[in-house]
C-alpha cells in the first residue's frame, strides 16, 4: 500500500478495489441489512470486510486501520446512531485517520441525518434505499483511476 | 394426508361447539345485511370426501370447535420505551382503550443482560423498549396493574429467567399467588442464534436455562407459557414463509427433546409451549403457514413424542404483522398493509395479535399511531364479520393446496436439519443463517430488478416527498436518570444479602444438576441488578461469539 502511494499512483497501475469495512455497532443483532449490502457491494467489485456484531467504535476503527480500508460502513437498528456514529468519526480523528470515509444505514430520522452529516458522517441510507444507490454513491466518491 | 369424518364426527363437533363458552359481547353473528351465519361450514356432502373439523386432530381448521365464536383473539400490543414510569403510563392508556393483554418491549441493554450504567449501554437506553435494571424498575413498570388479573407477555430471551423472576417478585409483593399468573415469556434462545442474534451464553448453557425455567414453571407457575417459540424474527431476518415455519417448529422439537432429556414428562410441559409467527404481506401464503403449523405440531407431538393430553397437541400462537413490510415512504400506507396482514392472522386462527403502528419503520409509535393500530384489530373483530364462522377458508382449493405444500416444505427442512445432527449443530454450521441470508438477498434483488413491486418504494412513488410524520423521541435526560436510578438501587440495598445471593447463584451455575430459578429469584428479591445476575452466570458459562458469514 505505502509503496503504491510513494510511487505516486501511476496511471498504468491497476486500480486497487475500494476496500470497505462493514460493521454492526451497538447492541442490536439485526444483521439482515448489512449482509445484503455486503453481498451487493462485493458483487459490484468492492472489497468487503464484515466485522460481525456488537463492535465498539474503537474496534471498528482498529479494523479499518488494520485492513487499510478507505471506507467504513456502519449498520445500526437500535436508535443509538446519534451516539455511536459520531463516536466512530471521533475515534478516526483521534487516530489521525480522518481520510477514511464513514457512511451508515439504518432507521435514522431525517433531522438526525442532517446532524450526523454536520458531525462528519458522509452519507446515511435509510429503509427502502436501493442497493444501486449505495453502489453509485461509492463509485462517485471513488472514481476508478 | 387428511382425515375423513363421518356423521358421528360432525355430531361430536356440534356437541363440542354447544359445550364451549360463547362470547358475551352481544355482537350479532349475522352479516351486515342481516343474513344468519353458521358457526361452521363444511362441504355439501361431508361423508363423501376427506375433511377435517375445527377442534379435532390435527387441528388444521383451528384448535377450538367454536373458533372466535367462543372467544376472540387477545389484542396484545407490544409496547415499551424510555423508563418504567413512561411505559407504565402507556400500558394504562392501552388498557383504557380496550387492549386485553400487556406485552413488554425491553431496551437493548436489558435484552443483552447489562445494566444501564455499563459503558456499552450509552445511547441505547430506552430506545428499543423500556429500561429495566432491577426489581425496583419492574415494580414501577406494573404499578397499579394487578398481575393476578392481566396476562403479560415479555419479549426477552438470553436473560429471560431473570426478567421472569422479577415479574414473579412483583406479583409476590402485590400478594398474588404464582399459581394465578397468566402470561408468556419469549425465552426462545434458539432463534436468537439463528436470526435475531441477541445471544449471551453459548447454546448449551442457554438451553439449560430454558429447561430450568420450563421445569420450574411446570411446578410453580402452571398457567405461564414458558417459551414462545418464535418464527417472527426468523422471517424478519429475511426467510421465506416455509423457512419460518420449518425452523421455528424444528426449534420447538429441540425444546421438547431437551425437556425429555431432563426427565420431564411430555404432557407436563408441552401444553405450555406457545408459538409466535409473523404475518407477512402475502395473504394466502400466510394463512396456509398458520394452518400447516398446527397440523405439523399435532402430528409430531402425538406420533413422535407420544403426547396424550390434547392440550399438548394444540399449537397456540401469537402473531405480529410484519415490521419488515412497512415502508418509510408514504408511511400512512402502512395502516393498509397492517390490516391485510392482520386479517391473514385472524383467518389463520391466531390466539393473540399485535398490529404494527404505521410509524414503526421510522421510530417508536406515538400514542396516536398505537391507537390506530389497535383500532385496526377492533375493526376486524367487530365490524368485518370475519370472526363469525370458524376457519372460513377451510376447503378452499387454493388454501388447502398451499397448506399441504407448506407442510411438505417444512418436513423437507426437518430432514436437512436432522442430517446435521439437530438444531444446535445446524446453527453451529451456519445452515439456517445461510438459508435466511440467501433468501433475504434474493428478495432484495427482486426489488432491484422490479420483479416484485412495493408501493411507494420501487413503484407509485409520487407522494413520497410528502413524508412528514411525527415520531416519538426519547429525551436524552432519561438516559442519565436511569443510570442514576440503578446506582441508587445498588447503594441503598442490603449489601450482604445481595452479595450472598450472587455468590450462591454462581455456585449453583457451576453445578449442572441445580435448577437456577430459585437462585435467580433470590438474587432478584435482594435487588441484585440484571447485569450482576447475568454477570455471575457469564463467569461460569462464558460468552458466545458467532462466526460472521456474509
Amino acid at each position: 500500500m505505502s509503496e503504491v502511494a510513494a510511487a505516486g499512483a501511476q496511471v498504468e497501475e491497476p486500480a486497487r478495489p475500494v476496500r470497505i469495512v462493514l460493521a454492526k455497532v451497538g447492541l442490536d443483532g439485526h444483521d439482515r441489512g448489512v449482509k445484503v449490502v455486503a453481498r451487493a457491494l462485493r458483487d459490484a467489485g468492492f472489497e468487503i470486510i464484515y466485522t460481525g456484531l456488537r463492535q465498539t467504535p474503537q474496534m471498528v476503527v482498529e479494523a479499518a486501520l488494520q485492513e487499510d480500508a478507505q471506507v467504513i460502513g456502519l449498520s445500526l437498528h437500535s436508535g443509538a446512531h446519534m451516539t455511536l456514529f459520531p463516536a466512530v468519526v471521533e475515534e478516526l480523528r483521534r487516530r489521525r485517520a480522518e481520510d477514511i470515509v464513514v457512511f451508515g444505514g439504518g432507521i435514522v430520522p431525517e433531522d438526525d441525518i442532517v446532524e450526523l452529516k454536520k458531525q462528519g458522517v458522509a452519507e446515511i441510507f435509510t429503509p427502502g434505499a436501493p442497493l444501486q444507490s449505495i453502489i453509485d454513491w461509492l463509485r462517485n466518491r471513488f472514481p476508478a483511476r | 394426508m387428511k382425515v375423513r369424518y363421518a356423521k358421528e364426527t360432525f355430531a361430536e363437533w356440534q356437541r363440542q361447539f354447544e359445550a364451549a363458552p360463547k362470547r358475551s359481547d352481544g355482537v350479532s353473528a349475522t352479516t351486515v345485511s342481516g343474513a344468519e351465519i353458521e358457526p361452521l361450514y363444511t362441504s355439501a356432502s361431508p361423508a363423501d370426501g376427506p375433511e377435517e373439523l375445527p377442534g379435532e386432530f390435527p387441528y388444521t381448521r383451528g384448535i377450538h370447535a367454536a373458533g372466535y365464536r367462543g372467544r376472540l383473539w387477545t389484542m396484545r400490543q407490544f409496547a415499551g420505551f424510555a423508563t418504567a414510569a413512561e411505559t407504565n403510563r402507556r400500558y394504562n392508556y392501552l388498557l383504557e382503550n380496550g387492549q386485553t393483554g400487556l406485552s413488554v418491549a425491553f431496551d437493548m441493554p436489558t435484552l443483552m443482560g447489562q445494566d444501564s450504567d455499563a459503558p456499552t449501554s450509552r445511547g441505547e437506553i430506552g430506545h428499543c423498549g423500556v429500561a429495566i435494571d432491577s426489581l425496583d424498575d419492574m415494580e414501577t413498570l406494573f404499578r397499579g396493574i394487578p398481575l393476578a388479573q392481566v396476562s403479560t407477555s415479555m419479549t426477552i430471551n438470553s436473560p429471560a429467567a431473570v426478567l421472569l423472576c422479577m415479574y414473579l417478585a412483583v406479583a409476590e409483593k402485590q400478594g398474588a399467588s404464582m399459581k394465578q399468573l397468566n402470561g408468556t415469556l419469549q425465552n426462545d434462545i434458539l432463534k436468537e442464534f439463528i436470526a435475531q442474534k441477541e445471544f449471551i451464553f453459548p447454546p448449551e448453557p442457554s438451553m439449560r436455562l430454558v429447561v430450568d425455567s420450563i421445569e420450574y414453571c411446570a411446578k410453580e407457575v402452571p398457567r405461564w407459557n414458558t417459551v414462545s417459540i418464535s418464527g417472527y424474527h426468523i422471517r424478519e431476518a429475511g426467510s421465506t414463509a416455509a423457512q419460518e415455519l420449518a425452523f421455528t417448529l424444528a426449534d420447538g422439537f429441540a425444546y421438547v427433546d431437551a425437556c425429555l432429556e431432563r426427565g420431564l414428562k411430555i404432557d407436563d410441559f408441552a401444553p405450555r409451549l406457545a408459538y409466535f409467527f409473523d404475518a407477512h404481506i402475502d395473504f394466502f401464503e400466510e394463512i396456509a403457514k398458520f394452518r400447516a403449523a398446527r397440523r405439523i405440531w399435532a402430528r409430531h407431538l402425538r406420533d413422535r413424542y407420544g403426547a396424550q393430553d390434547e392440550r399438548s397437541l394444540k399449537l397456540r400462537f401469537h402473531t405480529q404483522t410484519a415490521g419488515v413490510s412497512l415502508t418509510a415512504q408514504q408511511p400512512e400506507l402502512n395502516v393498509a398493509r397492517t390490516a391485510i396482514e392482520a386479517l391473514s392472522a385472524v383467518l389463520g386462527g391466531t390466539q393473540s395479535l399485535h398490529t404494527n403502528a404505521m410509524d414503526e419503520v421510522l421510530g417508536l409509535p406515538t400514542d396516536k399511531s398505537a391507537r390506530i393500530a389497535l383500532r385496526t384489530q377492533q375493526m376486524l373483530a367487530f365490524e368485518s364479520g370475519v370472526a363469525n364462522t370458524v376457519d372460513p377458508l377451510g376447503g378452499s382449493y387454493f388454501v388447502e393446496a398451499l397448506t399441504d405444500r407448506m407442510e411438505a416444505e417444512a418436513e423437507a427442512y426437518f430432514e436437512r436439519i436432522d442430517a446435521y445432527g439437530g438444531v444446535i449443530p445446524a446453527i453451529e454450521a451456519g445452515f439456517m443463517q445461510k438459508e435466511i441470508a440467501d433468501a433475504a438477498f434474493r428478495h432484495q434483488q427482486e426489488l432491484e430488478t422490479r420483479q416484485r413491486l412495493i408501493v411507494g418504494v420501487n413503484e407509485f412513488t409520487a407522494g413520497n416527498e410528502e413524508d412528514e410524520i411525527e415520531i416519538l423521541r426519547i429525551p436524552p435526560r432519561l438516559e442519565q436518570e436511569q443510570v442514576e436510578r440503578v446506582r441508587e438501587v445498588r447503594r441503598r440495598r442490603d449489601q450482604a444479602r445481595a452479595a450472598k445471593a450472587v455468590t450462591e447463584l454462581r455456585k449453583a451455575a457451576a453445578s449442572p444438576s441445580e435448577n437456577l430459578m430459585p437462585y435467580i429469584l433470590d438474587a432478584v428479591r435482594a435487588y441484585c441488578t440484571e447485569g450482576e445476575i447475568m454477570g455471575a452466570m457469564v463467569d461460569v458459562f462464558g460468552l458466545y461469539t458467532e462466526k460472521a458469514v456474509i
Side-chain angles (χ1 to χ4, degrees), chain B residues 16-331:
Chain B
Q16 282 191 29
F17 176 79
E18 302 299 340
K22 305 296 182 304
R23 279 161 55 193
S24 56
D25 51 34
V27 176
S28 164
T30 58
T31 70
V32 75
S33 319
E36 285 294 332
I37 298 294
E38 295 293 333
L40 178 67
Y41 289 82
T42 60
S43 71
S45 46
D48 304 337
E51 208 165 344
E52 292 180 20
L53 293 173
E56 285 170 16
F57 186 88
Y59 310 104
T60 314
R61 300 201 65 186
I63 59 171
H64 298 303
Y68 297 131
R69 286 270 187 122
R71 194 181 158 202
L72 283 170
W73 64 92
T74 302
M75 300 179 192
R76 192 186 295 283
Q77 298 295 92
F78 185 44
F81 57 93
T83 60
E86 293 279 325
T87 301
N88 176 264
R89 192 191 60 78
R90 174 68 64 89
Y91 289 168
N92 282 302
Y93 175 81
L94 288 166
L95 290 169
E96 281 158 22
N97 274 280
Q99 174 166 295
T100 49
L102 293 175
S103 177
V104 187
F106 297 101
D107 72 353
M108 282 311 313
T110 308
L111 293 171
M112 288 306 296
Q114 63 188 47
D115 291 336
S116 295
D117 61 344
T120 49
S121 295
R122 241 186 91 226
E124 309 262 14
I125 298 164
H127 281 281
C128 286
V130 59
I132 300 291
D133 289 314
S134 72
L135 178 57
D136 185 73
D137 293 324
M138 206 70 161
E139 288 164 17
T140 307
L141 185 65
F142 293 107
R143 190 184 295 144
I145 300 171
L147 298 191
Q149 286 162 40
V150 293
S151 78
T152 304
S153 168
M154 292 192 286
T155 296
I156 185 93
N157 295 282
S158 289
V162 182
L163 274 293
L164 174 60
C165 287
M166 288 187 190
Y167 191 84
L168 298 178
V170 173
E172 189 174 67
K173 291 199 156 197
Q174 290 186 357
S177 149
M178 282 200 200
K179 305 267 188 281
Q180 291 175 291
L181 298 180
N182 276 302
T184 304
L185 194 63
Q186 193 161 82
N187 202 18
D188 172 15
I189 198 63
L190 291 172
K191 66 94 174 53
E192 295 298 333
F193 293 110
I194 293 171
Q196 192 173 230
K197 311 290 176 73
E198 287 159 13
F199 41 71
I200 296 174
F201 314 123
E204 294 294 338
S206 297
M207 284 298 275
R208 171 189 171 186
L209 267 176
V210 175
V211 178
D212 280 0
S213 56
I214 293 173
E215 187 181 28
Y216 181 85
C217 289
K219 285 198 205 84
E220 309 294 337
V221 204
R223 286 159 75 176
W224 197 266
N225 296 308
T226 48
V227 188
S228 173
I229 308 156
S230 305
Y232 188 81
H233 320 80
I234 292 171
R235 190 66 181 283
E236 294 283 299
S239 84
T240 64
Q243 287 167 350
E244 177 193 357
L245 177 66
F247 298 164
T248 309
L249 281 150
D251 288 349
F253 301 142
Y255 293 122
V256 170
D257 290 332
C259 289
L260 294 175
E261 208 171 301
R262 175 72 64 96
L264 306 183
K265 296 217 166 37
I266 184 81
D267 288 325
D268 288 345
F269 67 88
R272 284 295 156 201
L273 298 177
Y275 277 85
F276 170 25
F277 292 111
D278 197 290
H280 217 294
I281 195 70
D282 194 312
F283 187 67
F284 290 105
E285 185 174 61
E286 295 304 280
I287 295 166
K289 180 184 75 185
F290 302 130
R291 301 173 91 247
R294 279 192 293 268
R295 191 192 286 174
I296 295 169
W297 181 248
R299 289 201 174 132
H300 281 254
L301 267 281
R302 188 188 73 175
D303 301 339
R304 185 165 139 203
Y305 294 110
Q308 314 256 309
D309 188 337
E310 219 184 18
R311 295 174 310 146
S312 299
L313 311 181
K314 292 180 173 180
L315 180 147
R316 295 166 302 129
F317 68 101
H318 172 71
T319 308
Q320 180 169 341
T321 57
V324 79
S325 73
L326 305 182
T327 63
Q329 297 78 8
Q330 304 183 53

Side-chain angles (χ1 to χ4, degrees), chain A residues 31-107:
Chain A
D31 57 6
R32 174 182 184 160
V34 72
K35 284 187 172 184
V36 167
V37 169
R39 283 196 199 189
L41 294 183
R42 197 178 55 192
D43 291 353
F46 296 96
E47 261 186 57
I48 299 300
I49 298 112
Y50 172 50
T51 62
L53 304 172
R54 304 202 175 90
Q55 303 289 303
T56 63
Q58 292 72 25
M59 289 157 83
V60 176
V61 168
E62 183 58 33
L65 292 171
Q66 290 284 330
E67 299 287 352
D68 193 25
Q70 294 111 300
V71 185
I72 292 174
L74 302 171
S75 168
L76 183 134
H77 293 267
S78 70
H81 50 268
M82 294 309 286
T83 305
L84 292 170
F85 288 5
V88 171
V89 175
E90 181 51 39
E91 181 66 10
L92 283 172
R93 220 170 269 142
R94 203 181 66 79
R95 304 284 300 263
R96 305 235 156 95
E98 300 100 314
D99 55 320
I100 298 178
V101 174
V102 178
F103 76 103
I107 299 175

Side-chain angles (χ1 to χ4, degrees), chain B residues 305-547:
Chain B
Y305 294 110
Q308 314 256 309
D309 188 337
E310 219 184 18
R311 295 174 310 146
S312 299
L313 311 181
K314 292 180 173 180
L315 180 147
R316 295 166 302 129
F317 68 101
H318 172 71
T319 308
Q320 180 169 341
T321 57
V324 79
S325 73
L326 305 182
T327 63
Q329 297 78 8
Q330 304 183 53
E332 293 89 343
L333 300 181
N334 293 328
V335 176
R337 287 191 180 95
T338 297
I340 294 166
E341 294 165 357
L343 181 56
S344 79
V346 169
L347 294 177
T350 196
Q351 272 63 54
S352 68
L353 179 61
H354 167 101
T355 33
N356 286 325
M358 61 176 160
D359 49 3
E360 284 186 52
V361 65
L362 303 167
L364 291 162
T366 58
D367 276 355
K368 182 177 177 185
S369 70
R371 190 181 69 236
I372 291 171
L374 174 62
R375 295 281 182 259
T376 304
Q377 294 200 36
Q378 291 163 337
M379 284 158 65
L380 288 175
F382 301 111
E383 283 186 42
S384 75
V386 295
N388 285 339
T389 194
V390 189
D391 187 33
L393 292 177
S396 148
Y397 295 121
F398 180 43
V399 171
E400 296 294 353
L402 275 180
T403 305
D404 291 346
R405 186 161 115 187
M406 275 289 162
E407 182 185 16
E409 285 185 54
E411 291 288 347
Y413 265 120
F414 297 155
E415 282 177 24
R416 292 176 72 184
I417 292 167
D418 283 345
Y420 280 93
V423 169
I424 291 178
I427 287 169
E428 284 165 347
F431 169 64
M432 284 86 104
Q433 299 93 311
K434 179 82 171 16
E435 288 288 303
I436 295 168
D438 287 349
F441 191 63
R442 260 195 321 270
H443 178 75
Q444 189 60 37
Q445 280 180 317
E446 287 169 359
L447 296 181
E448 303 273 324
T449 53
R450 296 169 42 83
Q451 293 170 64
R452 214 165 274 291
L453 297 184
I454 297 182
V455 174
V457 174
N458 60 357
E459 187 60 294
F460 311 116
T461 53
N464 283 7
E465 62 286 348
E466 290 166 24
D467 295 348
E468 274 296 326
I469 192 161
E470 188 203 344
I471 57 170
L472 183 80
R473 293 281 189 169
I474 305 302
R477 67 170 169 80
L478 290 182
E479 177 154 335
Q480 198 45 45
E481 285 171 18
Q482 184 63 25
V483 166
E484 281 158 22
R485 199 169 297 120
V486 63
R487 290 182 174 156
E488 177 63 24
V489 166
R490 280 202 215 96
R491 265 196 298 273
R492 64 160 198 247
R493 69 189 174 192
D494 177 343
Q495 301 303 339
R497 187 184 169 198
K500 182 165 177 282
V502 167
T503 308
E504 293 292 319
L505 171 60
R506 195 181 289 112
K507 227 179 351 179
S511 159
S513 62
E514 290 274 8
N515 187 313
L516 297 182
M517 287 293 289
Y519 297 93
I520 296 171
L521 189 53
D522 272 350
V524 162
R525 287 181 184 131
Y527 290 88
C528 296
T529 64
E530 186 199 13
E532 291 167 336
I533 296 170
M534 292 299 286
M537 291 190 278
V538 168
D539 291 344
V540 179
F541 298 151
L543 290 169
Y544 181 76
T545 45
E546 70 161 7
K547 196 173 151 280

